[in-house]
Amino acid sequence: MTSTPSTVPPSGPRADGTRTVPRGCPLCEAMCGLEVTLDGRDRVVTVRGDADDVYSAGYLCPKGASLGAVDDDPDRLRGPLVRRDGELRPASWDEAFTEVDRLLRPLLADDRNSVAAYTGNPTGHNVAFTLLAGRLARSLGSVQAYSPATMDQLPQTVTAALLFGEPTSTPVPDLDATDLLVIVGGNPLVSNGSVGAAPDYRGRLRRLRARGGRVVVVDPAQTATAAAADLHLPIRPGTDLFLLLGLLHVVFAEDRVRLRAARDRVSGLAELGAAVGSWTPEAAGRATGIAPETIVGLARDIAGADRAALYGRLGTTLNRHGTLTCWALQVLNVVCGHLDRPGGMRFTRPVTGSPTTRRATRPARPFTTGRYHTRVSGHPEVLGEFPVAALAEEISTPGPGRVRGLVIYGGNLARSMPDSAAVQRALTELDALICVDPYLNETTRHAHVVLPPPGSLTRDHFDLVLFQFAQRNFARFSEPARPVPDGMLPEWDVLLRLCAIYEGRGPDTDPGEIDDEIAAALRRSVARGLDIDEREVVTDFPGRGPRRLLDMRIRSGPYGDLFGRSPGGLTLARLLDAPHGVDLGPLGPRLDEVVRTPSGRIELFAPQIREALAAARPPAVEPGSLLLIGRRDLRSKNSWLHNVDRLAGGPERGLLYLSPGDAEAYGIADGGSVTVRSTAGRIEVPVRVTDQVPDGVCSLAHGWGHDDDRARLRVAARRPGVNSNTLTDGTVLDPLSGTVQMNAIPVRVEPAPRPG
Ligand SMILES: Nc1nc2c(c(=O)[nH]1)N[C@H]1C(S)=C(S)[C@@H](COP(=O)(O)OP(=O)(O)OC[C@H]3O[C@@H](n4cnc5c(=O)[nH]c(N)nc54)[C@H](O)[C@@H]3O)O[C@H]1N2
Ligand SMILES: Nc1nc2c(c(=O)[nH]1)N[C@H]1C(S)=C(S)[C@@H](COP(=O)(O)OP(=O)(O)OC[C@H]3O[C@@H](n4cnc5c(=O)[nH]c(N)nc54)[C@H](O)[C@@H]3O)O[C@H]1N2
Ligand code: SF4
Ligand SMILES: [Mo]
C-alpha cells in the first residue's frame, strides 16, 4: 500500500541539533504564523510567534504556544481501535478499514441515506478535509449530512446567499481602518474573532481607539471585549433582532439612508423601510432592555460615521431569529454606507478563488432551501445539510429510512451538540459508528472503529477556507514540521480509503487511485472555469497528496499565474519559497464581483425575510427563570484541548456565572453549588458570583463534562467541568437556517442539595 509522501523541510539543523520551522497555527481562525523549534529527535522544544510572518507579525496566544504539547499529548491514540466483544481494542490499519467496510457495506447497499456524516470544527483548519470534503460527500451519497454550521455560522451564510446571491460572501470588519466598530454578540478578545478573526485583536482595538475610534459591544455579559470597549450595551439575551430593527427604524425615520458603494446596487429599499416602520426606539427598547435614547444615539453614530463596521457573531446566530438577526445587521451596514468601503465591512479575496472570483458559468438562480427534508421532523435541507439538532431523532426514531450508521470526522457530538442526553442515547443505537479522531473521548468511546490522525505538525498546512475571511489578502503554505510517526497514516490517506469504502471499491483500494481521480476532476473543472484546454492545466507537484490540488487552485485563482498566461502570478512553488507568507494587499473594493443575485442587485428584502419577519416576536420573559448564555475560554477550543496540562491549569472554567443580585435572591454563595434545570435536562454546577452577568442572565462554557470513565482523557478528567449542552434542548431552531438556539435558554436555578 502506498502512502502519501510527507517531506520535511530542510531548515537547519543547528550545531545543537535543533531546527526551527515556520508554521501556520491550526487552532483558531486567527491563522497566526508560528515558529516551531524541534530537536534532533523531532521533539518540539519551543513554539513562538513568527516575527517575520506577513499576517501575524509575531503574535501568538497560549493555545498556539502549546501546539507541541497538543500534538504530543500522551493520551492521543497511536493507532486505530476496533470494537471486538464489546471493547475497543488496538488493531492494524488494514483490520480497521476491513471492519469499516464490513459495517458500512450492508447499510449503504440497502439505503445510502441510512449512513450520516458529521464534519466537525477542526476539519475546517485541516487541508485534507477542506480539499477532500466534496469527494467524501459524493462518495457517501447520503442526504444525511451534518456539521457545526447549524450551531454556528449558518445564519450568516444564509444571509449572504439571500443578500448577495452567494453563501460564502460574508464580509469582515476592516479592523485596521475603521473608526467605529460595533460588535454584536462576539467576544473576540477571547475567541480571537471568527468570520473576521485577527491575530492580536486586543492590540488592534487599542490602536483603533488610539486613533480616535470607538468600540461598542452589544452583549448581555460584561466580557473581556465589553470591558475593553467605549460603550457596552447589556442586551436582554435573544433580542438583538429587535435592537437592529430599532436602529434601522431610526435610520429610515430620520432620512439617514446613504448607500455609497451600494448605490444603484440594491433592491427592496422601500420595502425594508416600511417593514421597520413599527420598530420605534421605544418598541425596540421594550424588547431589548436598552434605553430608547441609546438606540437613537447609536443609530446616528453608525449612520454618521465615515468608517464604521457592524460585526456580529454567535450572540446573533444561536437564537430562534438567527438569520433575521444576521440579515438586519448586514442591511444596516448597507443602508448606512458601510459595505465594501474602507473601515467598513469588506470582502476578502481568497488566494484559491471562490465562486465570486470566478466568472459565472450559468445564470444565477434565487436562493432556495428545502430540496429535501429530514425524516422525523421534516426539517428542510439548507445548503446541503440538516440541522444538528435533528441527528439524534433521525437515529433513535424507529421506521424506514432510519439512520443506522454515522461517520464523524473530528466532532465530539456528545459534548458539542444540543440535548446531550438524546445524543448519547443515539450514539449507542447505531449499527456502525466510525470516528476519525485523535482521542478516545465522550463521543468516540461509543465507536465501532476509531481512525486516529497524527498530530497537525505532520501535515501540510494551508487555510483554504479561512483565507476568505482574513483581515488582509494573504496566503501561507506550511510544510510538515516532522514526519508522520511509525504506525500512523496521514489523515489524507485515511479519508481516501474511506471514499473507496463508501464507493464500494473495498478496503484495499490504493488511495492513490482516488487521489488521481480527484486531481483529474479538478483539472477538468479548472480548465472549464478558465476556458482553456485541460492540457494547459499543469502543476509543479505531480505527486499525490494535497499539493497538486492546491497548486492548480492557486494558479487558477485571482492572483495565480494562470498556468503561464499571467507571468509572475502566484503558484504553490512561490508559496513554498515564502514560508512566512505572501501578503496580497489590503482588502479592496469587491462589490462588482460579489453581487451574484439573479437581479444583479443586493436583495435587501428577499421573500424569505419578509415572511419570517412578519412572524418574528420578542421572546416572552418567563417569570422565575434565568436566561442561560454561552461563554468561551482563551485556553480552550470547544470540547478539546482540555487534556493538555499547560492549557488545563489556571482558574476553574466549568462554573456557572451568576449575578450578585440573583445569587442573593436564590440564597447562593460564591463557590456554592446549584442545580440548573431546563426543558432538556438538569445539571449540578459550582457557582461564581460575578457582575460579569446581569440579573436574570447566567452563563456557562460549553464543551466540558469530561466525566465519562470510558474516555481516555486523563488530564481533563481531573477537572471535568459540567456539560452545558445537557441543558440545550434542541427544539428551538432558526427556521431559515435550521440553526439551534444555544443562547437565551430559559433555566431554573436552585441551591443544590447538600451531599450526604
Ligand atoms: N479561545 C477560544 N477561541 C475560540 C473558540 C473556543 O472555544 N475558545 N471557539 C471557536 C469557534 S468554533 C467559534 S464559532 C468562535 C466564536 O466566536 P465568538 O462568537 O466571538 O465567541 P463567543 O465567546 O461564543 O461569543 C459570543 C458572545 O455572545 C454573547 N451572547 C450570548 N447571547 C447573546 C445574545 O442574545 N445577544 C448578544 N448580543 N450577545 C449574546 C456571549 O455573552 C458571548 O460573549 O470562537 C472560536 N474561537
Ligand atoms: N452550548 C453550546 N454548544 C456549542 C457552542 C456554543 O457556543 N454553545 N458552539 C458550537 C460551535 S460554534 C461549534 S464550531 C461546535 C464545535 O463542536 P465540534 O464540531 O465537536 O468541534 P470540537 O469540539 O472543536 O472538536 C471536535 C473533535 O475534533 C477532534 N480533533 C482535533 N483535531 C483533529 C484533527 O486534526 N483531525 C480530526 N479528525 N479530529 C480532530 C477532537 O479530538 C474533538 O473530538 O460546538 C458547538 N457547540
Ligand atoms: S490566536 Fe489562534 S491562530 Fe493565533 S496562536 Fe492562538 S490559537 Fe493559534
Ligand atoms: Mo464554531
Side-chain angles (χ1 to χ4, degrees):
M1 189 71 51
T2 57
S3 138
T4 306
S6 108
T7 44
V8 174
S11 45
R14 302 185 184 88
D16 66 358
T18 64
R19 63 185 200 284
T20 296
V21 291
R23 185 80 202 149
C25 178
L27 294 178
C28 93
E29 296 173 44
M31 295 186 280
C32 298
L34 307 177
E35 213 183 63
V36 180
T37 300
L38 303 103
D39 69 14
R41 292 163 63 191
D42 289 327
R43 286 177 308 204
V44 177
V45 186
T46 55
V47 180
R48 295 212 169 84
D50 176 3
D52 297 325
D53 190 81
V54 297
Y55 190 57
S56 58
Y59 180 78
L60 92 170
C61 84
K63 289 200 292 293
S66 308
L67 188 59
V70 170
D71 266 29
D72 287 336
D73 182 350
D75 279 349
R76 267 180 183 257
L77 299 173
R78 298 280 180 262
L81 301 176
V82 171
R83 191 168 294 277
R84 303 264 185 234
D85 308 319
E87 294 292 325
L88 277 170
R89 297 177 200 279
S92 72
W93 286 97
D94 283 333
E95 285 164 346
F97 285 114
T98 302
E99 181 65 0
V100 174
D101 187 61
R102 189 186 73 79
L103 290 166
L104 292 184
R105 189 180 282 269
L107 300 182
L108 290 170
D110 181 39
D111 175 3
R112 304 297 300 183
N113 297 335
S114 69
V115 181
Y118 173 86
T119 310
N121 175 286
T123 66
H125 303 265
N126 184 327
V127 76
F129 282 99
T130 51
L131 282 170
L132 299 178
R135 176 67 177 235
L136 279 163
R138 276 192 299 282
S139 301
L140 189 61
S142 167
V143 297
Q144 291 282 350
Y146 299 83
S147 87
T150 52
M151 38 184 179
D152 189 342
Q153 82 285 5
L154 205 57
Q156 296 180 280
T157 313
V158 169
T159 295
L162 290 170
L163 285 176
F164 308 121
E166 199 353 270
T168 57
S169 298
T170 300
V172 300
D174 188 5
L175 294 176
D176 297 340
T178 197
D179 297 332
L180 174 61
L181 176 65
V182 183
I183 300 175
V184 187
N187 187 11
L189 292 198
V190 169
S191 66
N192 299 308
S194 176
V195 196
D200 192 17
Y201 218 103
R202 186 178 290 278
R204 284 171 202 259
L205 292 193
R206 202 187 311 117
R207 291 192 289 278
L208 192 170
R209 296 180 69 201
R211 60 175 185 264
R214 288 175 68 219
V215 179
V216 177
V217 171
V218 181
D219 197 309
Q222 167 82 13
T223 60
T225 311
D230 298 274
L231 176 65
H232 171 213
L233 302 179
I235 193 169
R236 184 175 301 143
T239 66
D240 298 75
L241 168 62
F242 308 99
L243 169 67
L244 294 159
L245 295 175
L247 295 170
L248 282 163
H249 173 98
V250 176
V251 172
F252 278 92
E254 297 189 352
D255 210 10
R256 291 174 186 272
V257 172
R258 155 186 78 153
L259 294 169
R260 298 204 285 186
R263 184 189 312 279
D264 302 326
R265 278 225 163 269
V266 301
S267 134
L269 187 65
E271 293 91 324
L272 171 65
V276 299
S278 61
W279 285 100
T280 60
E282 291 70 29
R286 276 191 301 278
T288 59
I290 296 174
E293 335 47 286
T294 307
I295 296 175
V296 173
L298 181 59
R300 289 178 185 163
D301 287 350
I302 294 169
D306 183 39
R307 295 168 171 235
L310 273 85
Y311 158 81
R313 211 45 193 99
L314 289 192
T316 61
T317 61
L318 297 184
N319 68 74
R320 68 175 71 219
H321 304 303
T323 302
L324 284 175
T325 309
C326 296
W327 160 82
L329 181 128
Q330 219 52 273
V331 296
L332 193 54
N333 277 310
V334 178
V335 301
C336 292
H338 300 312
L339 186 71
D340 201 39
R341 291 257 316 166
M345 296 297 285
R346 309 216 82 168
F347 298 96
T348 313
R349 184 184 274 122
V351 62
T352 47
S354 77
T356 63
T357 63
R358 296 189 267 273
R359 68 193 172 89
T361 49
R362 53 183 134 86
R365 273 183 248 123
F367 174 70
T368 54
T369 60
R371 288 171 294 163
Y372 42 85
H373 294 79
T374 63
R375 175 179 67 99
V376 179
S377 292
H379 294 299
E381 147 283 333
V382 177
L383 290 162
E385 57 185 287
F386 284 148
V388 286
L391 177 60
E393 67 181 19
E394 292 291 300
I395 296 168
S396 296
T397 310
R402 186 174 85 84
V403 168
R404 289 170 284 158
L406 173 63
V407 188
I408 304 176
Y409 312 106
N412 189 357
L413 313 194
R415 291 298 172 267
S416 309
M417 273 194 181
D419 199 349
S420 301
V423 170
Q424 274 158 196
R425 200 177 324 118
L427 291 175
T428 66
E429 292 167 351
L430 289 160
D431 297 338
L433 175 59
I434 315 300
C435 294
V436 183
D437 201 292
Y439 283 106
L440 190 60
N441 62 21
E442 301 81 14
T443 298
T444 60
R445 73 94 160 164
H446 295 285
H448 297 96
V449 182
V450 185
L451 305 167
S456 68
L457 291 169
T458 67
R459 63 187 187 227
D460 285 340
H461 184 74
F462 184 83
D463 284 297
L464 186 70
V465 171
L466 298 172
F467 286 140
Q468 64 190 320
F469 305 108
Q471 286 293 317
R472 280 182 79 83
N473 298 309
F474 92 105
R476 186 202 302 119
F477 178 87
S478 316
E479 301 188 71
R482 59 184 179 189
V484 171
D486 285 344
M488 294 296 274
L489 275 187
E491 206 153 8
W492 184 264
D493 293 44
V494 171
L495 301 183
L496 291 175
R497 287 184 72 170
L498 287 176
C499 286
I501 291 172
Y502 301 159
E503 291 171 21
R505 296 156 73 157
D508 304 321
T509 308
D510 182 346
E513 273 178 32
I514 307 218
D515 200 325
D516 288 343
E517 291 165 17
I518 293 169
L522 178 63
R523 180 169 288 121
R524 278 194 297 278
S525 111
V526 164
R528 213 180 314 119
L530 294 177
D531 214 0
I532 59 176
D533 192 279
E534 250 182 70
R535 280 163 305 189
E536 290 183 64
V537 183
V538 290
T539 165
D540 300 326
F541 300 87
R544 290 162 175 177
R547 294 186 187 188
R548 69 174 153 175
L549 305 186
L550 285 178
D551 193 33
M552 285 192 259
R553 303 226 3 203
I554 291 163
R555 297 177 76 168
S556 61
Y559 313 88
D561 79 339
L562 303 181
F563 309 101
R565 289 171 183 229
S566 178
L570 215 54
T571 62
L572 179 58
R574 262 194 64 201
L575 288 188
L576 273 155
D577 286 341
H580 308 286
V582 173
D583 183 38
L584 301 167
L587 307 185
R590 282 204 63 209
L591 211 51
D592 281 343
E593 56 182 10
V594 163
V595 180
R596 299 283 173 128
T597 53
S599 65
R601 287 166 181 269
I602 302 171
E603 294 291 349
L604 293 179
F605 207 57
Q608 293 93 323
I609 295 290
R610 178 184 310 129
E611 204 180 299
L613 191 61
R617 303 275 175 280
V621 185
E622 290 179 36
S625 66
L626 300 181
L627 293 175
L628 176 69
I629 61 173
R631 180 174 91 220
R632 279 177 158 70
D633 183 85
L634 186 60
R635 290 165 301 127
S636 160
K637 181 75 188 288
N638 300 314
S639 73
W640 74 297
L641 303 185
H642 303 168
N643 202 55
V644 177
D645 254 320
R646 42 188 295 182
L647 293 172
E652 173 69 47
R653 289 164 288 178
L655 304 174
L656 185 81
Y657 285 9
L658 209 57
S659 75
D662 286 332
E664 198 186 319
Y666 290 111
I668 294 155
D670 190 60
S673 276
V674 289
T675 306
V676 187
R677 273 174 237 272
S678 73
T679 48
R682 191 184 136 260
I683 57 172
E684 240 174 68
V685 56
V687 165
R688 169 143 181 239
V689 177
T690 164
D691 48 21
Q692 289 178 44
V693 288
D695 291 348
V697 175
C698 55
S699 96
L700 196 55
H702 76 282
W704 302 87
H706 302 297
D707 50 4
D708 188 325
D709 54 20
R710 293 289 182 115
R712 197 175 91 193
L713 296 168
R714 286 171 295 187
V715 173
R718 280 189 235 136
R719 289 212 292 178
V722 293
N723 172 14
S724 75
N725 280 321
T726 309
L727 299 170
T728 316
D729 83 359
T731 57
V732 185
L733 306 189
D734 165 30
L736 293 177
S737 71
T739 300
V740 62
Q741 167 162 323
M742 289 182 140
N743 284 319
I745 300 167
V747 294
R748 295 195 177 254
V749 172
E750 59 186 57
R754 279 178 201 285

